[in-house]
Amino acid sequence: MAAWTTCTLVAVAATLTLLLGPGRHEAECRDASADPPVPKYCQYTLNLAAKGYDVVSYFGLDAAQNGTRGSADISLVFNNATFRFATAANRDAFRANPWKYHPAFGGFCAFGMAKFPSTLKQLQQRPPIGPPICPLTQWTLYNGTLYLNDCATRDQWLAHRDEYIADAERLWLSYFGGQHKGPTNIDCFGP
């Protein structure tokens, strides 16, 4: 069992939950302030990108700060996903240049994209399912790009960031034909 990573274990748990319905498990990165409340196993009915966190706000945060939750009243739809923002200025900045702020790899777990190429096939489903994220604390800005990770892989990803980015970029390109193509994570596989 030691060879199983957190992304794999979360993927297995999420798959079982999708098949069997929500159980008593608690994700290690559950945001209790989610509004409105939705099932933990699949939030795609809301089509929320980055679990409702303001993707523009990360560009003004220090690395140790938590992400900022967006407002349902300040949102827009891009790439079939609803992006929420903390301020109208952030929404307008995103609207003017969405790919500048859109998380890499569709906002799916950057580590998962690099380490589990088989998950890319699942992203072609509707709704797309893929490695979950924890946008509250597991985010990184690197070379002007926002990367999101799940609750237990960020440190490992940071230790080999350049290698993992190259692997994930190569895989993403092979499946979707460009970094600005492919699905946006709408949390169908999230905790």
Side-chain angles (χ1 to χ4, degrees):
M1 184 107 167
W4 288 61
T5 66
T6 300
C7 275
T8 302
L9 292 174
V10 170
V12 169
T15 301
L16 289 174
T17 302
L18 284 170
L19 295 173
L20 303 174
R24 295 183 177 195
H25 71 84
E26 287 294 322
E28 55 186 318
C29 182
R30 183 168 173 261
D31 184 355
S33 66
D35 106 77
V38 294
K40 290 182 282 185
Y41 64 96
C42 194
Q43 295 183 9
Y44 70 86
T45 56
L46 295 176
N47 286 348
L48 286 181
K51 293 188 178 182
Y53 282 78
D54 181 343
V55 294
V56 176
S57 70
Y58 293 103
F59 289 79
L61 297 177
D62 292 328
Q65 290 181 288
N66 288 342
T68 304
R69 183 167 287 287
S71 168
D73 296 330
I74 309 171
S75 63
L76 62 80
V77 175
F78 177 77
N79 201 30
N80 297 316
T82 300
F83 287 81
R84 290 183 175 177
F85 304 93
T87 67
N90 283 2
R91 180 200 55 214
D92 296 344
F94 184 90
R95 182 181 287 139
N97 192 355
W99 291 114
K100 175 181 178 180
Y101 301 104
H102 193 282
F105 317 123
F108 293 96
C109 174
F111 177 84
M113 289 291 96
K115 297 301 286 181
F116 302 101
S118 63
T119 62
L120 283 168
K121 291 178 184 176
Q122 296 171 329
L123 298 182
Q124 295 174 325
Q125 300 177 30
R126 293 294 175 253
I129 57 175
I133 56 163
C134 179
L136 177 66
T137 59
Q138 304 303 301
W139 62 274
T140 305
L141 273 179
Y142 183 63
N143 291 335
T145 300
L146 174 61
Y147 298 92
L148 300 173
N149 280 286
D150 82 1
C151 295
T153 61
R154 181 174 174 258
D155 291 340
Q156 186 175 358
W157 181 79
L158 286 173
H160 303 282
R161 178 178 49 205
D162 292 326
E163 172 189 339
Y164 291 154
I165 289 172
D167 289 347
E169 284 178 347
R170 181 179 44 78
L171 290 167
W172 191 269
L173 182 63
S174 74
Y175 273 84
F176 302 112
Q179 291 302 320
H180 298 156
K181 296 182 179 179
T184 296
N185 185 352
I186 52 173
D187 205 22
C188 190
F189 225 38

